[in-house]
Amino acid sequence: MSDDCNRTPFWQRQPQLPLAIQRFFQARMEAALGDPEARQVLVWPTILGAPGLRKAHPDGLPEAELLPHAARMLSALGHHDPVGAWQAHLATWPDTAEAGPSGWRPTAAWGAWGPLVSLRCGWQLAALTPLPLGARYPLACGVSLFNHGLYHECHDALEPLWDAAEGDLKGQLQGLILLTGGYHHLQQHNLPGMVALWEEAVGRLEACGGRVPTPWGEVRSEVALDLTMRRLDHGRRMKDGGDLSALWALDRPTWELA
């Protein structure tokens, strides 16, 4: 696991987001998960919501500065035409930006949440950029998103694989999804939801020793399973609304894709 992944900004309590912001994230993540080419949709909110750039350009970020920032991110995705990418993005995703007096700025629908949107989209992009393409891409997305502490997005990556699976694989993928959902509840400090999902997840993953073989590689979650069982044992003894600091103090769980 990379040093960047170890320093995930999302290994902590997260705010409850307005529905409009949730939908903003979900639409872009679904696009990026469905087609690696669409990962570039995450580039523009990352730049336009960045606090430093907004402070420097309160009336809008000029394209002369926007495009060089985007070029570096797009290049990592194999795209080398930031002008064309920006024009195509505006046509497809008009809710991303609006014209200001001197350049582009976030639309009012998400602008007030700009720093958080920028951080999360940037971290999503960091999770998805280096992944193998082809048939392994969807599962690799789920593993990387989990390891970056992006549990809601991990759930979205794994659900289509679970929906299409059969037999033991379906139950094991459901175990991973439930494990992920429990950590999302931990981020929201929802103790009952966390305990309920982890109880079922542990039951499903213990049966396979925390190792989930799939047609796209084996997900090794043994360490994560052990850490989750320790958190679950502590959570069962707590009352709703109690201090969850002991659960955060344990190591952050990660998976491996072999």
Side-chain angles (χ1 to χ4, degrees):
M1 186 173 59
S2 71
D3 289 341
D4 285 344
C5 188
N6 276 314
R7 293 193 297 267
T8 174
F10 293 99
W11 182 237
Q12 55 187 298
R13 185 169 186 169
Q14 298 299 308
Q16 182 65 43
L17 300 175
L19 184 58
I21 302 300
Q22 294 179 40
R23 288 173 173 167
F24 184 93
F25 283 133
Q26 184 172 6
R28 285 155 176 78
M29 183 51 51
E30 286 180 353
L33 293 173
D35 179 5
E37 288 292 311
R39 290 174 295 178
Q40 61 184 287
V41 303
L42 302 169
V43 167
W44 310 104
T46 300
I47 299 169
L48 291 168
L53 291 176
R54 294 186 69 182
K55 182 177 180 180
H57 302 279
D59 293 326
L61 184 63
E63 283 194 11
E65 186 158 350
L66 169 66
L67 296 177
H69 282 288
R72 292 189 288 271
M73 299 181 189
L74 291 169
S75 178
L77 297 172
H79 298 282
H80 304 286
D81 178 16
V83 174
W86 177 232
Q87 292 172 349
H89 184 87
L90 286 175
T92 306
W93 302 87
D95 62 332
T96 296
E98 59 188 18
S102 63
W104 295 98
R105 55 192 181 191
T107 61
W110 69 274
W113 290 80
L116 186 147
V117 171
S118 173
L119 177 63
R120 195 167 194 107
C121 285
W123 201 240
Q124 292 168 349
L125 192 62
L128 300 184
T129 292
L131 299 185
L133 305 184
R136 282 172 62 90
Y137 177 71
L139 182 62
C141 285
V143 172
S144 185
L145 289 164
F146 183 89
N147 289 345
H148 281 74
L150 296 167
Y151 301 116
H152 192 278
E153 292 89 334
C154 174
H155 174 281
D156 289 345
L158 295 180
E159 190 169 33
L161 300 178
W162 167 82
D163 191 50
E166 299 177 347
D168 290 342
L169 177 58
K170 194 175 188 74
Q172 292 163 1
L173 287 174
Q174 187 173 12
L176 293 176
I177 290 171
L178 291 166
L179 190 80
T180 297
Y183 279 100
H184 175 67
H185 281 304
L186 174 59
Q187 288 179 324
Q188 300 293 317
H189 276 214
N190 176 3
L191 179 62
M194 178 193 77
V195 169
L197 292 188
W198 279 349
E199 285 181 336
E200 186 173 352
V202 166
R204 291 180 179 275
L205 293 175
E206 274 191 308
C208 61
R211 301 178 70 159
V212 179
T214 81
W216 318 282
E218 182 180 62
V219 180
R220 303 191 61 175
S221 66
E222 306 101 306
V223 175
L225 179 59
D226 178 68
L227 287 166
T228 303
M229 291 171 66
R230 291 164 63 187
R231 288 188 169 93
L232 177 58
D233 183 61
H234 185 81
R236 284 169 172 155
R237 299 193 300 269
M238 295 178 62
K239 294 182 179 180
D240 191 16
D243 181 9
L244 299 183
S245 59
L247 279 68
W248 290 111
L250 292 171
D251 289 344
R252 183 168 57 82
T254 58
W255 297 340
E256 293 183 17
L257 180 59

